[in-house]
């Protein structure tokens, strides 16, 4: 089981690096990340949330475990408001407006190219996880009022540690 890094950990603000070779270490990382995600429990987990600076995430929105290597969102459209939380910012959630439809490219664990059109919940998970891999937390997606309140809570948490 891996430790999920929490808000304030600098690793969450660093962009990850592309996976160059999908080898046994990547397969093992995916396995450990899935176990950690299910135990949390959560529906998605990005590698830098467990302190690994590699561009991949895992998720399960009810269709079984999935891993996406070197994911990129190439197109977005529409708008959708959804209450979003994050395993690195536990116990808090906010209604966040983001694009509804996204197109995501990447590789599966066998190195096959993926090209996925997603919307609503799946589209939201993709955007949230790709944000992580770019070093962006959901706190940066809040409106001004939400953000002010969030930062008060989060700063006091960091100071209490
Ligand atoms: Zn998250």
């Amino acid at each position: 089981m891996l430790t999920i890094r929490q808000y304030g950990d600098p690793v969450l603000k660093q962009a990850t690096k592309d996976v160059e070779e999908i080898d046994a270490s990547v397969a093992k990382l995916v396995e450990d990340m899935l176990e950690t995600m299910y135990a949390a429990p959560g529906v998605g987990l990005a590698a830098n949330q467990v302190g690994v600076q590699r561009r991949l995430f895992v998720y399960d929105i009810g269709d079984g475990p999935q891993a996406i290597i070197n994911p990129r969102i190439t197109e977005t459209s529409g708008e959708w408001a959804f209450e979003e939380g994050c395993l690195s910012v536990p116990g808090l959630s906010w209604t966040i407006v983001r694009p509804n439809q996204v197109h995501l490219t990447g590789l599966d664990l066998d190195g096959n190219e993926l090209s996925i059109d997603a919307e609503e919940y799946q589209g939201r998970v993709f955007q949230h996880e790709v944000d992580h891999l770019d070093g962006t937390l959901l706190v940066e997606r809040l409106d001004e009022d939400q953000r002010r309140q969030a930062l008060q809570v989060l700063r006091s948490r960091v100071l209490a540690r």
Side-chain angles (χ1 to χ4, degrees):
M1 199 88 87
L2 305 165
T3 301
I4 298 177
R5 305 301 183 91
Q6 300 297 302
Y7 178 88
D9 190 318
V11 79
L12 295 169
K13 302 207 87 175
Q14 289 161 18
T16 51
K17 293 202 171 72
D18 273 345
V19 173
E20 281 171 16
E21 196 187 343
I22 303 172
D23 54 17
S25 77
V26 173
K28 173 79 171 106
L29 175 62
V30 164
E31 197 178 302
D32 292 347
M33 283 172 61
L34 281 166
E35 195 180 329
T36 304
M37 179 189 83
Y38 286 125
V43 295
L45 190 66
N48 51 341
Q49 286 184 278
V50 293
V52 177
Q53 293 302 91
R54 306 181 89 174
R55 194 171 179 91
L56 70 95
F57 72 82
V58 297
Y59 74 102
D60 184 346
I61 55 168
D63 303 329
Q66 311 282 343
I68 302 194
I69 318 289
N70 299 341
R72 286 198 164 69
I73 288 173
T74 56
E75 280 172 64
T76 64
S77 62
E79 237 180 39
W80 193 51
F82 181 73
E83 189 170 339
E84 202 173 317
C86 178
L87 293 176
S88 294
V89 192
L92 297 172
S93 62
W94 300 272
T95 299
I96 301 177
V97 178
R98 297 192 194 236
N100 187 11
Q101 294 89 12
V102 305
H103 187 80
L104 179 118
T105 62
L107 301 171
D108 69 14
L109 260 186
D110 298 319
N112 300 308
E113 284 186 24
L114 299 172
S115 176
I116 305 173
D117 286 311
E119 61 178 5
E120 296 190 347
Y121 191 42
Q122 187 181 30
R124 182 59 58 106
V125 171
F126 285 177
Q127 291 174 80
H128 183 105
E129 301 310 329
V130 168
D131 260 3
H132 271 303
L133 298 173
D134 290 332
T136 300
L137 281 174
L138 83 169
V139 176
E140 292 166 59
R141 300 294 186 191
L142 303 181
D143 69 30
E144 215 175 298
D145 283 350
Q146 289 174 320
R147 194 175 155 87
R148 200 177 319 113
Q149 290 172 7
L151 290 179
Q152 273 180 3
V153 176
L154 292 169
R155 280 193 190 118
S156 63
R157 278 190 189 175
V158 170
L159 289 174
R161 274 210 290 274

XYZ file of all heavy atoms in Angstrom, residues 44 49 85-88 128-129 132 137-138, ligand 1:
83
model
N -10.220 7.586 -8.551
C -9.098 7.889 -9.426
C -7.874 8.218 -8.594
O -7.999 8.675 -7.452
N 0.335 11.575 -6.826
C -0.345 11.522 -5.519
C 0.281 10.480 -4.596
O 0.025 10.497 -3.391
C -1.826 11.202 -5.691
C -2.640 12.374 -6.224
C -4.104 12.008 -6.284
O -4.550 11.371 -7.215
N -4.863 12.400 -5.270
N -14.260 16.077 -5.258
C -13.354 15.968 -4.118
C -12.038 15.367 -4.580
O -11.857 15.074 -5.761
N -11.108 15.183 -3.632
C -9.776 14.700 -4.011
C -9.161 13.965 -2.822
O -9.236 14.448 -1.689
C -8.893 15.892 -4.387
S -7.214 15.428 -4.822
N -8.551 12.822 -3.074
C -7.929 12.046 -1.993
C -6.770 12.796 -1.339
O -6.394 12.489 -0.210
C -7.434 10.692 -2.520
C -8.529 9.707 -2.968
C -7.896 8.456 -3.565
C -9.450 9.347 -1.814
N -6.205 13.774 -2.038
C -5.109 14.569 -1.471
C -5.627 15.782 -0.695
O -4.839 16.517 -0.099
C -4.155 15.034 -2.576
O -3.503 13.910 -3.145
N -9.685 15.727 -13.839
C -9.112 15.829 -12.496
C -7.742 15.142 -12.441
O -6.775 15.695 -11.898
C -10.088 15.191 -11.496
C -9.665 15.275 -10.075
N -10.239 16.141 -9.170
C -8.709 14.598 -9.387
C -9.648 15.989 -7.990
N -8.719 15.058 -8.095
N -7.658 13.943 -13.034
C -6.396 13.183 -12.968
C -5.314 13.792 -13.867
O -4.139 13.844 -13.478
C -6.635 11.711 -13.309
C -7.626 10.987 -12.390
C -7.356 11.168 -10.908
O -6.188 11.317 -10.507
O -8.337 11.168 -10.133
N -3.809 16.624 -12.078
C -2.796 16.174 -11.117
C -1.450 15.985 -11.807
O -0.405 16.430 -11.306
C -3.191 14.819 -10.503
C -4.023 14.916 -9.265
N -3.622 15.599 -8.141
C -5.233 14.395 -8.965
C -4.563 15.497 -7.204
N -5.548 14.770 -7.681
N -3.901 21.133 -8.614
C -4.902 20.572 -7.699
C -6.255 21.240 -7.923
O -6.331 22.358 -8.411
C -4.470 20.818 -6.253
C -3.404 19.888 -5.703
C -2.993 20.354 -4.310
C -3.901 18.456 -5.647
N -7.316 20.547 -7.526
C -8.662 21.074 -7.752
C -8.888 22.411 -7.070
O -9.725 23.196 -7.509
C -9.740 20.047 -7.357
C -10.164 19.919 -5.896
C -11.410 19.049 -5.803
C -9.088 19.396 -5.027
Zn -7.319 14.353 -6.798
